Amino acid sequence: NAGVTQTPKFQVLKTGQSMTLQCAQDMNHNSMYWYRQDPGMGLRLIYYSASEGTTDKGEVPNGYNVSRLNKREFSLRLESAAPSQTSVYFCASSEEGGTEAFFGQGTRLTVV
Amino acid sequence: GEDVEQSLFLSVREGDSSVINCTYTDSSSTYLYWYKQEPGAGLQLLTYIFSNMDMKQDQRLTVLLNKKDKHLSLRIADTQTGDSAIYFCAESLNYGGATNKLIFGTGTLLAVQP
């Protein structure tokens, strides 16, 4: 059982480049999330998806877009990367109303 | 508002108890969680407490919740070097029919000295 799988694990981008971070879960969860983790700031919610076909902004959505492609997959897109988006990105999923969120291993993104 | 705060660092000696504290501001939290993050890894759920409970014990872990003060703590008894990690407090909020939204604190780095 793979749980939550994120790709890639590491990425270096130049300012202005675009890329999509992929996330897939095999637990049949309705809810999926994207967080970014920065030193001293904890995890901040970028976007979340309560169910297939719906997405909502979190605390720090600017500069990002998301797609809930199907129940399994929730992707995060950076259209024009900026150095301020250098961070570790985590995808998570949970059952609706569930008590536990399951996290991927993270994507370490550096924008130069 | 949504705000979860923790102290950034805690150092203890092996065998001592550790207490990690957290304060939150949103009284509509349904569940409160403690997650553990080891270096280079994602977060793993350690334990959680429902908002109508005061205390929960799970082996070496004790969670205390003071709803009046919006204060949550995690006590680790007989702390071991393997407990060294970042510990995140999180609250689960439910808005307008949307599913639970998890809001995390800044994380507390626990360093256990042998």
Side-chain angles (χ1 to χ4, degrees), chain A residues 46-86:
Chain A
I46 305 171
Y47 271 93
Y48 65 103
S49 171
S51 61
E52 185 180 351
T54 69
T55 60
D56 288 283
K57 293 179 180 179
E59 303 167 73
V60 288
N62 291 344
Y64 305 96
N65 285 302
V66 290
S67 296
R68 184 72 184 269
L69 304 167
N70 47 55
K71 194 170 186 180
R72 288 188 66 245
E73 298 172 290
F74 188 37
S75 62
L76 179 72
R77 183 159 178 84
L78 287 71
E79 289 291 352
S80 179
S84 61
Q85 294 178 304
T86 293

Side-chain angles (χ1 to χ4, degrees), chain B residues 29-44:
Chain B
S29 302
T30 51
Y31 290 96
L32 293 129
Y33 305 83
W34 284 104
Y35 279 83
K36 178 182 180 183
Q37 184 183 33
E38 295 183 349
L43 278 71
Q44 287 191 302

Side-chain angles (χ1 to χ4, degrees), chain B residues 18-79:
Chain B
S18 308
V19 180
I20 303 171
N21 294 300
C22 169
T23 58
Y24 60 98
T25 56
D26 199 313
S27 57
S28 64
S29 302
T30 51
Y31 290 96
L32 293 129
Y33 305 83
W34 284 104
Y35 279 83
K36 178 182 180 183
Q37 184 183 33
E38 295 183 349
L43 278 71
Q44 287 191 302
L45 181 67
L46 266 184
T47 186
Y48 66 92
I49 188 167
F50 190 49
S51 57
N52 69 354
M53 296 169 64
D54 297 325
M55 185 182 91
K56 181 177 180 181
Q57 187 145 6
D58 184 2
Q59 299 182 329
R60 292 191 296 122
L61 306 178
T62 303
V63 179
L64 295 177
L65 175 60
N66 181 329
K67 279 199 76 174
K68 177 175 167 290
D69 295 337
K70 299 191 183 72
H71 182 265
L72 183 74
S73 68
L74 173 70
R75 179 177 180 270
I76 305 173
D78 187 24
T79 313

